[in-house]
Amino acid sequence: MQLYLALAIPILIGTAWLFTAQITRGSLPNLRNKCICLLIAHPDDEAMFFSPTVLALTAPEAGNHVKILCLSSGNADGLGETRKNELAASASMLGLRSASDVLVIEDSKFQDSMKATWSAASIAQLLSSAFSPTTNTPSKNTSSEPTATIDTLITFDRHGISSHPNHISLYHGAKQWLASLMNGKSGWKSPIELYTLTTTSIIRKYISLLDAPITMFVGANRTAGMSKKKTREEPPTLIYISDFAQWWRGLNAMVNGHKSQMRWFRWGWVGVGRYMVVNDLRRETVT
């Protein structure tokens, strides 16, 4: 009896995981035919934290064009050039179209450090130069529609998943950029939707695929409430749960794409970290 139970438990867990992955892919909202930028702080963020999102958005049937903007080379240990090459390799494994869709910034303003908080104004200025070059100076002319070269920006939330100050800085910089883009444009809708990756409790962070049903239940309820309003806005929540094949691709992007970073604690992350399997993103309100 104990043997049967020991065999049944992992089978049930695996079945629940694959079922939720199928449900989220087929029933919950997704972004389609968008130009999307993933804003990260360091090479390996895209694989460690965002791989379920990137794999879903780069799927050919979604019709999206995904780019990665990384604000440092992660040169804290003198491996900047190596890590830039690793990011390009990982991005290819995650489905980005070409190496030209990955840009790594080398700027003394954005030092890779657990003690460094990056200036929100500097991040906002960089984003403006990259994606809204005609609006670097806020306009008070409400008759002109705000424009940008991307439709969606995805980054960390205000807690940064791991409380890393570089991650948290991206959230504040993104919010400041979009606020400046809409400054004096109260009659227009923002041309860019901002989605942030939700930071969970420490327990949920390390239960891997066991968090899939929890995330689906919470997110589906939030999305259902929005759908009843029959709004044309983008969904308030995006949920991406990798199936086995997607999880394997994300694992490969981290383990083989970022070989210089595979220390003992990162093996633990890829083994039990829920962000390798589950992502839930929330649409931010920009004021």
Side-chain angles (χ1 to χ4, degrees):
M1 181 64 180
Q2 290 181 339
L3 177 60
Y4 290 144
L5 187 61
L7 292 173
I9 289 175
I11 292 173
L12 289 173
I13 291 173
T15 301
W17 164 35
L18 296 177
F19 176 74
T20 54
Q22 182 64 33
I23 290 294
T24 54
R25 185 162 56 248
S27 303
L28 297 183
N30 191 12
L31 299 179
R32 297 186 180 278
N33 303 312
K34 304 288 187 182
C35 185
I36 302 167
C37 175
L38 173 64
L39 177 65
I40 59 176
H42 320 102
D44 76 15
D45 288 348
E46 82 296 338
M48 283 184 65
F49 302 107
F50 292 95
S51 59
T53 296
V54 178
L55 286 165
L57 295 178
T58 58
E61 62 270 20
N64 298 308
H65 186 179
V66 179
K67 304 179 181 183
I68 293 177
L69 176 59
C70 183
L71 294 201
S72 80
S73 63
N75 197 37
D77 297 322
L79 296 172
E81 287 303 315
T82 296
R83 296 195 67 186
K84 286 195 288 186
N85 292 332
E86 288 178 340
L87 174 57
S90 171
S92 177
M93 295 175 193
L94 292 174
L96 269 71
R97 296 180 182 180
S98 71
S100 63
D101 289 326
V102 180
L103 177 62
V104 179
I105 303 298
E106 294 275 18
D107 193 315
S108 59
K109 297 176 183 176
F110 308 123
Q111 292 291 329
D112 173 19
S113 172
M114 280 293 296
K115 299 180 180 179
T117 297
W118 297 341
S119 163
S122 296
I123 296 171
Q125 184 178 26
L126 175 65
L127 291 171
S128 182
S129 298
F131 303 121
S132 56
T134 62
T135 56
N136 283 335
T137 301
S139 172
K140 301 299 181 180
N141 180 10
T142 58
S143 64
S144 60
E145 182 178 5
T147 59
T149 58
I150 59 172
D151 304 303
T152 308
L153 181 66
I154 296 173
T155 193
F156 295 95
D157 70 2
R158 65 174 67 246
H159 303 293
I161 309 301
S162 59
S163 300
H164 198 304
N166 296 168
H167 297 175
I168 295 169
S169 298
L170 298 183
Y171 168 82
H172 293 291
K175 292 270 285 189
Q176 183 165 322
W177 171 49
L178 294 182
S180 68
L181 182 65
M182 297 306 296
N183 186 20
K185 306 286 186 177
S186 57
W188 296 98
K189 182 181 182 297
S190 173
I192 302 168
E193 297 288 359
L194 173 62
Y195 283 92
T196 58
L197 184 63
T198 303
T199 298
T200 65
S201 68
I202 190 71
I203 295 174
R204 289 183 61 192
K205 188 184 295 186
Y206 294 107
I207 60 173
S208 188
L209 54 85
L210 292 175
D211 193 60
I214 300 172
T215 299
M216 187 185 73
F217 178 77
V218 174
N221 283 343
R222 189 181 302 123
T223 302
M226 186 70 177
S227 64
K228 291 178 182 178
K229 298 178 182 179
K230 296 183 179 181
T231 177
R232 296 182 64 184
E233 293 182 348
E234 296 293 347
T237 302
L238 296 171
I239 299 175
Y240 299 115
I241 300 176
S242 293
D243 59 21
F244 181 82
Q246 291 170 322
W247 171 79
W248 186 258
R249 287 179 63 190
L251 180 70
N252 188 47
M254 184 62 209
V255 173
N256 293 317
H258 294 283
K259 291 181 179 179
S260 72
Q261 300 304 297
M262 288 311 297
R263 302 167 188 171
W264 68 267
F265 55 88
R266 288 205 171 89
W267 284 105
W269 177 269
V270 301
V272 299
R274 59 93 72 173
Y275 291 96
M276 295 294 297
V277 183
V278 182
N279 280 176
D280 57 315
L281 301 100
R282 296 186 181 184
R283 193 185 73 225
E284 297 285 342
T285 301
V286 178
T287 56

